[in-house]
Amino acid sequence: MSYYRRGYSPRVERKRFSGPEIEASLKRLSGLEGLTPWESNFISSIQEGYKKYNSLTEGQFNTFQKIDARYNPENIKKREDWNNSFTSEMREKLEIMARYYKANPPYYSDLAERILSDPNYIPTEKAYRSMCENKYAQRVINTSQTEPEYSAGSMAVVRDSRNIGGTIARYRGKMVVVLDHPETVTNAARGARPVRVLPVGAVDSIVTEERWLKKVPKKLR
């Protein structure tokens, strides 16, 4: 007969997992090179727990499965093939997008930091394609890899558009001298290459984007 008592909560039976497949995988993973420090510590911990309790909790089992899948022979071979196919052109795109995401947190912030701090680091294929092959990334990469529209030392005119914001807005319709182009593209809009300009008659330079400039009319050249 079931009953309820105030303050009494019947114990919930937790599902646990065991079996020869788990034991074999734990043994294989415990001696495997290439595990991250966290993965290695986790496997060591649950292996000791398994010896004591002859099973894993549901949470332990779920995490264990992910690690086991990551390091099965087929997936190891896929990662090796991916690493061997990683080209200098892909590295260039990766670093362009790492700088972009670092300037536009929070997406990929940790991954971007690792890419920029370790020139030999190769992300997973999934992470690379997610970072570098979406439509916004394609715009950023294309803008970064094309030649600047305005060369250093040339003259340009700030467009007289109400869409222009920031410090450059006060110079709408005015001429500027192009000084240089900062390396990092931080906007996915077309023509968003950063450009440093010095408005004629001004003392301080301003960083804006090429899309807010236009060629000097022939009558003013």
Side-chain angles (χ1 to χ4, degrees), residues 127-145:
Y128 174 84
R129 298 198 185 285
S130 181
M131 279 187 73
C132 301
E133 295 186 355
N134 63 74
K135 65 179 182 179
Y136 300 106
Q138 293 301 303
R139 291 181 190 172
V140 173
I141 292 169
N142 182 64
T143 299
S144 300
Q145 293 183 328

Side-chain angles (χ1 to χ4, degrees), residues 25-221:
S25 292
L26 281 172
K27 183 177 180 180
R28 177 178 65 84
L29 289 170
S30 65
L32 189 66
E33 294 184 2
L35 294 174
T36 68
W38 185 90
E39 290 169 338
S40 181
N41 289 336
F42 177 79
I43 293 300
S44 177
S45 175
I46 64 172
Q47 190 172 38
E48 288 300 313
Y50 194 91
K51 290 178 182 178
K52 183 176 181 180
Y53 300 106
N54 295 315
S55 63
L56 300 177
T57 67
E58 187 171 6
Q60 290 173 331
F61 179 70
N62 289 339
T63 302
F64 159 74
Q65 278 193 311
K66 292 177 183 178
I67 297 174
D68 190 36
R70 175 174 171 77
Y71 291 98
N72 70 41
E74 181 180 352
N75 286 335
I76 290 176
K77 178 63 165 57
K78 286 181 180 179
R79 285 198 299 278
E80 289 176 349
D81 291 343
W82 165 251
N83 291 345
N84 290 334
S85 69
F86 203 79
T87 65
S88 58
E89 289 80 8
M90 294 167 71
R91 171 73 60 188
E92 180 182 358
K93 292 179 180 179
L94 184 67
E95 292 179 354
I96 287 171
M97 293 313 302
R99 290 192 291 270
Y100 170 82
Y101 285 115
K102 186 175 181 180
N104 293 278
Y107 299 109
Y108 302 109
S109 294
D110 292 341
L111 184 56
E113 188 64 39
R114 183 171 183 182
I115 291 166
L116 295 175
S117 63
D118 182 358
N120 296 315
Y121 173 69
I122 298 176
T124 64
E125 182 176 5
K126 180 180 179 181
Y128 174 84
R129 298 198 185 285
S130 181
M131 279 187 73
C132 301
E133 295 186 355
N134 63 74
K135 65 179 182 179
Y136 300 106
Q138 293 301 303
R139 291 181 190 172
V140 173
I141 292 169
N142 182 64
T143 299
S144 300
Q145 293 183 328
T146 55
E147 288 295 318
E149 186 174 354
Y150 302 92
S151 59
S154 64
M155 302 290 294
V157 177
V158 180
R159 293 183 181 278
D160 190 7
S161 170
R162 294 185 181 277
N163 293 330
I164 299 177
T167 307
I168 196 66
R170 74 180 68 169
Y171 296 102
R172 289 192 302 232
K174 305 297 183 182
M175 294 182 65
V176 297
V177 180
V178 176
L179 300 179
D180 57 32
H181 296 79
E183 183 177 7
T184 303
V185 175
T186 60
N187 193 321
R190 290 181 176 84
R193 177 190 292 279
V195 56
R196 190 187 311 277
V197 300
L198 179 65
V200 173
V203 175
D204 298 320
S205 63
I206 299 170
V207 175
T208 183
E209 296 175 351
E210 286 193 333
R211 60 182 172 148
W212 302 132
L213 304 179
K214 64 179 182 179
K215 301 292 186 181
V216 177
K218 291 182 179 180
K219 62 182 180 180
L220 297 179
R221 294 178 188 175

